[in-house]
Amino acid sequence: MKDLCYLMVFLLMISCIDQTVKYPVTKKLAVTDRYFDTEVEDPYRWLENDTSAETAAWVEEQNAVTFAYLNQLPNREAIRQKLTDLLDYPKYGVPSKKAGRYFFYKNDGLQNQSVLYVTDSLDGEPQVALDPNTLSDDGTIAVSGVEISDDGKYLVYKIARSGSDWNEIFVKNMETGTLLDDHIVWVKFSGISWYDEGFFYSAYDQPAEGGKLSQANEYQKVYYHKLGTPQAADLLMMEDRERPQRMFGAGVTDDKRFLVVTISESTSGNALSVKDLNKKNAGFVPVMESFDYEFNVVDNLGDDLYILTNYQAPKYRLIKVNIAEPEEKYWQEIIPEKENVLESVDFAAGRLIVKYMKDARSELEVYHYAGDFDYAIELPGIGSVESFSGKKDEQIAFYSYQSFNTPGEIYQYDFVKKQSRLHYRPEVRFNPDDYLVKQAFYPSKDGTKVPVFIVHKKGMRMDGNNPALLYGYGGFNVSLTPSFSSTRMVFLESGGVLAVANLRGGGEYGEEWHKAGTKLQKQNVFDDFIAAAEYLVHSNYTNSNKLAVMGGSNGGLLVGAVVNQRPDLFKVALPAVGVMDMLRFHQFTIGWAWAGDYGTSDDSREMFEYLHGYSPYHSLQKGVEYPAVLVTTADHDDRVVPAHSFKYAARLQEYQAGKLPVLIRIDTKAGHGAGKPTAKVIDEYTDVWSFMFYHLGVKM
C-alpha cells in the first residue's frame, strides 16, 4: 500500500513537470580547419573566448534554462537535506609531525574548508594554525598546500582562488600569528620545500592580459625565495628557455641534504637531477635524462637516494643510487618488481613501508633498508591506504584507511608491538554494515578481464530493475581504488547500485595497463566501460532505462565518447569538466601535457583520424536519441577550460532528436574541482542527483 501511494504521488509530480525544454539559440559561425586533407567544421569556436560578453551572455542563458528545469524536479529539497545530513560529521586528516609538534586537518562537518590544527602532543589541546574559512566570505579560497619551517616558526601556505590552478604563497609567523610581507604569485603545479631561511617553489611568468584562464602554460621555472625579500629577487634555480613546455618540480630531502628536481614533458615520465646543498657551488647531477619512465625520489640515507621507478619494471621497483656514482651501472635494486604494483614507499622506524596495489586495493608491507621483507601490516578490509606518516627514528606512525562504505579512519601504528590501533573513526549518519562491497571481473570486447567494484545495500533483489550508477576514468595512470564519498551515499542510501570500473588507461596493473588505454589504443577504455555497463545489465543489477554513467575530466571525455557510441545503453549521462574537443585540447593551459596519453591532431594523419573518430564534440550525430545529459563545468576551470563543455553542449542541443533534456550547468567562482567549498558541493550535487534521480525513477 505504501509503494502504491508513493507511485501515485510520483506520477502526479511527473505530470506537473514541464517535459519540454526550449534551448537558447546558439549562433553558428563558418569556421573550418584543415587537418591534413580533411576539413573539419567548428561552428561554435567563438565560445572558446572565455572573456567575451557574448560568451558570458550565452552562459547566463544556458544556466537560466538549466536551473528552471532543475528547480521543478521532485525530491529536490529532500536530496539537499540528505546531502547536508550525510556531510555533517567531523572529518580528520592524518597527523604529521613537524618540528616536534603534530599538525592535522579537521572539518567540523559543514565547514567550507578544513582547518589546520597544531598540538604539542597527541593528547594535548589543539590550536588553530590556519583557518582557510577566514580568507573569504563564501569559502572559495582554499589552501592547496602547506610547509612548516624546520624550527616550526613559520607556516608557508599556498592558496587557490575560485578553484583555479593558479596559486599564491603566503608566510605566517606561528609564534606571533602575524602574516609576513612575503607574497609569491603566478605559482602553478608546484610544491613548497623549506630550506635554510626560505623555500623552493615553481612558477610561470605572468600571463598576457585576458589569458589567465586559457593561455598555454609555458616556461615554468624553479626559484628559491628567502624570507623578507621581494619575489623579484628570488634566485632562479632551473629553467629551459629552449623547450617552453618542460615542467619542473622541486623538493628537498628530509635531511635537507639534496635538492631534487623532476623534469617532465607530459603527465607521465620524468628526468631527474639532484643538487647537493651541502656543497657550495655544486651543480645539478643528472640521474636520469630520459622522459620515458618515472623516477621519484623517496628520500635519502646519507649519499644514497632511494628511488621508485618503472624503468625496466612496468609495475615499479625500488632502487638505490649513490650520488657520487649516479650512472646506471652502479644502481642497486632494493625491492624488485613483483606481481602487484608498487605504489609508494615511506621511511619510518628504521624500515621501509611499502604500499602495493593488488586488484586496485591496498596492501602494506614492511622491509629492511637492504630490501629484505620483514612482515605485512594487516588492513581492515577491501580498501585504500591514502597516506602514511612517520619518522625514520620514531616507532609510532599513522595511516588512513577508507573504503566505499568506510569514511576516513585513522590508525596509529606501533612498530615495536607491530600493531595498528584505531586513532579516529568518524561517526556518520548511516550504518556502514548495511552495505555490501564486492569486486567482480568481466570480459571487455577483446576478452581482457577488467575489475569493477560494486556497492549496494545488503539484501537487494537482483531483478534487473535497480537504479545504477557506473563511474569511470581510464587515463593518465590514475587508479580508482576504493574511496568514500558522502555525496555518493545519498544514492546508495536511496537504494542505488554503485559500480566503479578499473578501466585500461589507469594504473591498476602498472604501466602496461596504462599504455593499453592511450593514443591509438584509447578505444580500449571506451570498450571496457561499455562492457562494464553490459555486465551490470546482464547480471541483473539494472537495465538500460535505469543506468546512469558519470565521470569527470578525462572521465568526462569517457562519458561523452561512450554515450555517442552507445546512446541506447544509458538513460542518464553526467559528464563533468570533460575534455570534449580532442582536436584542440592541446592549445589551452596545460592541455599540451596530455599528449602523452592522447596524442594530438598535429602528430599524423592516423592520429588525427583516430581522435576525430571518438572526440565527443565531433562524433555527435544528427537525428540520434541521446540519453538525458547534464553537463557540468565551471567558469574558473583552467585545467580543462570550460569551452570544451560549452561547444559540446551547444552541438548536443542542436543534434538531440529525443525528448530527454540535454542541459549544461555552469558554476561560478569554481574550477576543476579541487578546493571546492562544502556549500558549493551541496548545491552541485543537489542539482546532479535531482536530475539523475528523476530520470532513473529513484525513490527518496
Side-chain angles (χ1 to χ4, degrees):
M1 185 67 179
K2 181 179 177 181
D3 288 344
L4 180 60
C5 289
Y6 173 85
L7 179 60
M8 291 175 66
V9 171
F10 187 72
L11 290 173
L12 181 62
M13 289 172 129
I14 290 176
S15 67
C16 296
I17 294 174
D18 184 1
Q19 297 288 312
T20 61
V21 178
K22 186 176 181 180
Y23 304 112
V25 176
T26 304
K27 74 174 183 179
K28 299 173 68 175
L29 299 178
V31 178
T32 302
D33 295 314
R34 178 175 289 274
Y35 296 90
F36 302 95
D37 59 353
T38 301
E39 289 190 347
V40 178
E41 293 182 347
D42 190 2
Y44 301 115
R45 176 78 57 84
W46 62 274
L47 287 169
E48 293 179 1
N49 187 349
D50 60 316
T51 61
S52 75
E54 278 190 304
T55 301
W58 183 88
V59 167
E60 187 174 347
E61 291 174 353
Q62 289 287 341
N63 269 344
V65 169
T66 296
F67 288 110
Y69 183 87
L70 295 173
N71 288 337
Q72 65 178 339
L73 295 179
N75 296 321
R76 184 174 176 76
E77 289 311 309
I79 290 171
R80 178 180 291 278
Q81 187 59 54
K82 190 70 172 178
L83 276 166
T84 303
D85 291 343
L86 287 170
L87 281 162
D88 191 9
Y89 68 92
K91 309 164 189 71
Y92 283 79
V94 172
S96 177
K97 196 171 185 181
K98 300 281 187 179
R101 307 172 80 189
Y102 290 95
F103 291 81
F104 64 92
Y105 283 98
K106 179 190 175 186
N107 191 306
D108 289 341
L110 295 177
Q111 288 176 291
N112 276 320
Q113 303 290 342
S114 296
V115 179
L116 180 66
Y117 288 87
V118 60
T119 181
D120 292 331
S121 63
L122 291 174
D123 56 0
E125 184 67 28
Q127 303 295 320
V128 173
L130 180 64
D131 184 357
N133 299 290
T134 65
L135 303 179
S136 62
D137 294 333
D138 57 5
T140 55
I141 294 181
V143 171
S144 53
V146 299
E147 174 78 335
I148 312 298
S149 64
D150 296 338
D151 58 6
K153 182 177 180 180
Y154 298 108
L155 170 65
V156 187
Y157 63 93
K158 297 184 299 177
I159 67 165
R161 300 181 188 271
S162 300
S164 170
D165 280 337
W166 288 114
N167 285 189
E168 302 168 47
I169 299 178
F170 295 89
V171 184
K172 179 180 179 180
N173 186 314
M174 293 285 288
E175 296 174 353
T176 65
T178 58
L179 202 62
L180 276 62
D181 292 334
D182 303 68
H183 181 206
I184 311 298
V185 296
W186 304 121
V187 176
K188 202 176 215 187
F189 310 126
S190 171
I192 309 170
S193 198
W194 183 267
Y195 176 74
D196 199 12
E197 288 299 313
F199 52 87
F200 295 99
Y201 69 95
S202 304
Y204 290 91
D205 296 332
Q206 181 175 344
E209 184 69 26
K212 176 181 176 181
L213 298 178
S214 58
Q215 178 181 314
N217 302 138
E218 296 180 328
Y219 298 108
Q220 192 182 36
K221 307 170 184 66
V222 174
Y223 292 98
Y224 175 75
H225 175 78
K226 187 173 180 62
L227 292 192
T229 64
Q231 183 175 359
D234 289 354
L235 180 63
L236 177 64
M237 301 299 298
M238 185 174 287
E239 67 172 339
D240 192 329
R241 298 303 302 175
E242 302 299 319
R243 302 170 183 85
Q245 294 182 338
R246 285 197 171 174
M247 299 175 64
F248 304 93
V252 177
T253 52
D254 189 55
D255 63 359
K256 308 300 178 183
R257 168 81 182 276
F258 296 110
L259 172 63
V260 177
V261 176
T262 58
I263 309 159
S264 58
E265 295 182 331
S266 68
T267 53
S268 61
N270 65 274
L272 178 66
S273 288
V274 180
K275 178 181 175 69
D276 192 334
L277 296 173
N278 286 353
K279 295 181 179 179
K280 189 176 181 180
N281 300 322
F284 280 96
V285 176
V287 175
M288 170 53 64
E289 296 182 279
S290 167
F291 296 90
D292 295 333
Y293 304 95
E294 303 286 339
F295 278 80
N296 298 309
V297 174
V298 175
D299 208 342
N300 71 301
L301 292 174
D303 292 342
D304 294 324
L305 297 168
Y306 283 70
I307 300 173
L308 185 63
T309 181
N310 60 1
Y311 175 65
Q312 296 183 351
K315 294 185 178 178
Y316 293 84
R317 60 179 176 147
L318 184 69
I319 62 173
K320 183 171 72 174
V321 177
N322 189 290
I323 196 63
E325 297 177 318
E327 295 82 9
E328 183 179 350
K329 63 182 178 180
Y330 298 114
W331 296 355
Q332 295 183 45
E333 186 172 76
I334 301 301
I335 301 178
E337 181 184 28
K338 297 184 178 180
E339 180 182 0
N340 299 321
V341 178
L342 201 172
E343 270 198 289
S344 66
V345 178
D346 290 281
F347 283 80
R351 296 288 190 273
L352 299 172
I353 316 306
V354 180
K355 182 173 73 165
Y356 281 100
M357 180 167 49
K358 179 180 181 180
D359 293 329
R361 48 195 174 95
S362 296
E363 294 185 343
L364 277 184
E365 296 180 353
V366 180
Y367 289 76
H368 296 279
Y369 285 159
D372 301 319
F373 173 78
D374 197 351
Y375 61 93
I377 296 177
E378 184 178 354
L379 297 177
I382 297 176
S384 303
V385 173
E386 290 302 307
S387 59
F388 193 96
S389 176
K391 294 289 186 182
K392 294 176 184 174
D393 57 351
E394 296 188 7
Q395 299 300 315
I396 298 295
F398 297 87
Y399 66 89
S400 65
Y401 171 85
Q402 62 175 312
S403 187
F404 294 105
N405 62 333
T406 307
E409 296 178 342
I410 300 172
Y411 289 86
Q412 183 182 109
Y413 189 78
D414 189 322
F415 282 92
V416 175
K417 298 179 179 179
K418 297 183 179 180
Q419 289 181 351
S420 293
R421 181 173 68 84
L422 184 66
H423 179 72
Y424 177 73
R425 172 174 288 152
E427 293 185 8
V428 291
R429 299 186 182 187
F430 71 94
N431 183 6
D433 293 333
D434 288 345
Y435 291 91
L436 179 67
V437 178
K438 55 187 174 182
Q439 188 178 43
F441 295 83
Y442 64 89
S444 188
K445 184 178 180 179
D446 62 358
T448 299
K449 292 291 184 182
V450 181
V452 59
F453 291 105
I454 300 174
V455 189
H456 57 77
K457 282 188 173 180
K458 294 177 180 176
M460 178 178 284
R461 291 178 58 190
M462 298 305 159
D463 58 3
N465 290 309
N466 301 302
L469 174 63
L470 174 61
Y471 184 88
Y473 188 80
F476 298 100
N477 205 31
V478 172
S479 302
L480 295 187
T481 58
S483 63
F484 179 77
S485 166
S486 294
T487 56
R488 288 195 301 223
M489 287 307 305
V490 176
F491 178 61
L492 290 168
E493 283 280 88
S494 302
V497 176
L498 171 68
V500 178
N502 299 111
L503 317 172
R504 280 175 284 186
E508 288 86 351
Y509 294 101
E511 188 58 13
E512 292 178 358
W513 190 258
H514 169 219
K515 292 295 186 185
T518 64
K519 294 187 176 179
L520 295 173
Q521 299 187 88
K522 186 68 175 177
Q523 183 60 40
N524 285 335
V525 183
F526 311 141
D527 290 342
D528 290 355
F529 203 55
I530 290 169
E534 292 173 334
Y535 172 81
L536 294 174
V537 172
H538 294 157
S539 300
N540 286 325
Y541 285 102
T542 190
N543 63 72
S544 60
N545 284 316
K546 289 282 190 176
L547 178 60
V549 282
M550 185 181 205
S553 194
N554 175 73
L557 157 65
L558 168 69
V559 171
V562 299
V563 165
N564 288 0
Q565 293 180 16
R566 287 293 307 276
D568 60 303
L569 190 53
F570 317 106
K571 184 61 176 290
V572 176
L574 303 166
V577 293
V579 187
M580 301 308 207
D581 184 343
M582 296 307 296
L583 301 186
R584 289 174 57 78
F585 72 86
H586 55 296
Q587 299 187 27
F588 304 98
T589 61
I590 201 61
W592 53 263
W594 311 335
D597 250 49
Y598 296 148
T600 76
S601 54
D602 301 328
D603 290 348
S604 66
R605 182 196 304 273
E606 183 183 24
M607 194 73 252
F608 153 69
E609 291 176 348
Y610 195 85
L611 291 167
H612 187 239
Y614 75 74
S615 175
Y617 172 57
H618 298 95
S619 59
L620 286 164
Q621 300 292 322
K622 289 183 179 179
V624 174
E625 294 187 9
Y626 289 102
V629 180
L630 180 61
V631 182
T632 51
T633 187
D635 63 349
H636 278 68
D637 189 347
D638 49 358
R639 184 83 59 83
V640 179
V641 294
H644 282 279
S645 294
F646 293 174
K647 292 164 62 175
Y648 167 76
R651 181 167 274 174
L652 180 59
Q653 289 175 355
E654 177 190 358
Y655 286 179
Q656 170 68 304
K659 296 180 180 179
L660 294 174
V662 288
L663 304 170
I664 181 168
R665 181 190 188 275
I666 304 148
D667 205 350
T668 57
K669 296 189 72 176
H672 201 58
K676 185 171 289 188
T678 300
K680 278 190 172 290
V681 171
I682 292 173
D683 287 345
E684 179 178 358
Y685 276 92
T686 295
D687 293 337
V688 170
W689 289 157
S690 294
F691 185 85
M692 187 183 86
F693 280 29
Y694 172 67
H695 289 288
L696 295 187
V698 178
K699 300 178 181 179
M700 279 293 291

